[in-house]
Amino acid sequence: TVSGKFDSVTTVGPRVIFTALLNETNDFVTVFKHRPEGTGVGLAQDTGSAYVTTYTESVPVGDVVTWSADMQCTGVITSSVQA
């Protein structure tokens, strides 16, 4: 699961990305990078492939929308350090 918040006044948010990737037949796989320590040379990262299974948004509260997307990994997740 990935999640976050965005300003509902913006015209582009996570909905555009995740609904494009959302595919009920699960045949659209995308590559991801997870950088738990942030971005930087020598820091950890995991890479793999996944497909999006769900995407949800809350009702805006003070122009802030909370979103969540679930993804199903396919294949191997590779751990390495950033170059």
Side-chain angles (χ1 to χ4, degrees):
T1 300
V2 293
S3 61
K5 297 178 181 181
F6 72 95
D7 185 342
S8 65
V9 178
T10 62
T11 57
V12 177
R15 178 188 302 181
V16 173
I17 296 167
F18 285 106
T19 55
L21 296 174
L22 185 60
N23 185 327
E24 292 182 18
T25 61
N26 302 330
D27 61 356
F28 188 82
V29 176
T30 188
V31 175
F32 69 87
K33 288 183 184 178
H34 174 242
R35 294 177 168 168
E37 300 170 352
T39 302
V41 174
L43 298 178
Q45 78 175 8
D46 302 316
T47 57
S49 298
Y51 56 87
V52 178
T53 58
T54 61
Y55 176 76
T56 57
E57 290 182 353
S58 69
V59 175
V61 176
D63 293 333
V64 176
V65 176
T66 301
W67 62 270
S68 176
D70 293 319
M71 301 181 349
Q72 177 66 49
C73 291
T74 60
V76 175
I77 298 174
T78 303
S79 297
S80 62
V81 294
Q82 300 171 48

